[in-house]
Amino acid sequence: MTATLDNLRTQTSPRSGEIDPVTVEVIRRRLVSIADEVDVNITRTAFSPYIYEYKDYAVGTPAAT
């Protein structure tokens, strides 16, 4: 029997249409770690002292619209 996405969703989620808190936390922590990796790479490869000494920049993940 082939499992479809709808079948898996109803099997794993106690309430249909909701994402469990564990999945939300895993996704949140991964997004934060992506921003941290970008921060490390910008600091490591920067030529300006404003970047690598003072960390005068912002790192974020844009929302898809």
Side-chain angles (χ1 to χ4, degrees):
M1 180 175 164
T2 306
T4 64
L5 183 59
D6 291 331
N7 289 342
L8 291 174
R9 190 173 291 137
T10 57
Q11 290 173 1
T12 57
S13 178
R15 296 171 290 240
S16 64
E18 292 185 16
I19 300 174
D20 63 310
V22 174
T23 302
V24 171
E25 189 65 20
V26 168
I27 292 171
R28 187 187 73 80
R29 288 185 184 257
R30 182 59 187 142
L31 290 172
V32 169
S33 72
I34 290 170
D36 290 342
E37 289 175 21
V38 171
D39 175 43
V40 168
N41 284 324
I42 288 175
T43 303
R44 183 176 51 87
T45 60
F47 292 107
S48 171
Y50 289 111
I51 302 295
Y52 63 82
E53 288 182 10
Y54 305 117
K55 292 195 171 230
D56 188 18
Y57 60 92
V59 175
T61 306
T65 54

